[in-house]
Amino acid sequence: MSSRAQQRKSSTRRVRELAEIERRCQLYIGERSRAEITEQVVIVIDDGIATGATTRAALQAIRNRKPKELVLAVPVAPPDTITGLRGEVDALICLETPELFGAIGYFYRDFRQVSDQEVVAILKRFPAKRSASIH
């Protein structure tokens, strides 16, 4: 595949992924109050990290909101991904960093996806206790 074709494919994938992120933000967050995290300890828990791209974006967005401390906790991720994420957080906890990673699902007996409806229901059960003022 030519370099130009690869760039088009990558650009198309990026547009699709950004549209999906926007869809999920609207569905999951909508008018929901955001928690105030300025000067708070924030712990981000991920069920597993492969490339780290999504996690890095989330950590940077959280860091922009000025937490007192930012902690990442993950059960499994490739060693190079963990190395690349250390600079994004104040503390990082990762239980397993196998050299032969493959895919996150390999490390779980049951790695079914959570549906949009399940996410919305869980978020409704746990509203933000202290709302942030969003400018």
Side-chain angles (χ1 to χ4, degrees):
M1 184 181 298
S2 73
S3 175
R4 184 170 284 158
Q6 286 176 329
Q7 286 176 336
R8 276 194 305 270
K9 185 176 179 179
S10 177
S11 179
T12 300
R13 185 177 328 121
R14 185 176 311 114
V15 167
R16 208 173 35 246
E17 289 175 3
L18 288 172
E20 177 61 12
I21 289 169
E22 181 59 29
R23 182 193 73 79
R24 287 182 182 184
C25 281
Q26 290 303 312
L27 180 63
Y28 298 167
I29 299 170
E31 299 298 317
R32 177 183 167 89
S33 295
R34 293 172 68 183
E36 177 57 66
I37 63 171
T38 302
E39 289 303 311
Q40 300 295 312
V41 175
V42 175
I43 302 171
V44 175
I45 302 171
D46 197 323
D47 58 4
I49 302 171
T51 67
T54 304
T55 303
R56 178 173 283 103
L59 293 171
Q60 290 170 350
I62 292 167
R63 180 67 76 192
N64 288 338
R65 294 182 59 203
K66 310 287 187 231
K68 178 179 180 179
E69 184 176 1
L70 181 53
V71 179
L72 174 62
V74 60
V76 63
D80 57 329
T81 298
I82 292 300
T83 298
L85 290 171
R86 284 201 187 279
E88 303 290 338
V89 295
D90 300 303
L92 194 152
I93 300 147
C94 183
L95 302 179
E96 298 283 336
T97 54
E99 288 294 331
L100 297 175
F101 186 75
I104 296 166
Y106 295 164
F107 298 91
Y108 287 87
R109 285 191 188 109
D110 180 358
F111 197 65
R112 285 179 276 181
Q113 294 298 306
V114 178
S115 72
D116 286 342
Q117 294 79 9
E118 289 173 290
V119 172
V120 170
I122 291 167
L123 289 172
K124 282 182 182 176
R125 286 181 43 213
F126 300 98
K129 293 196 181 350
R130 292 186 309 163
S131 296
S133 57
I134 300 173
H135 305 283

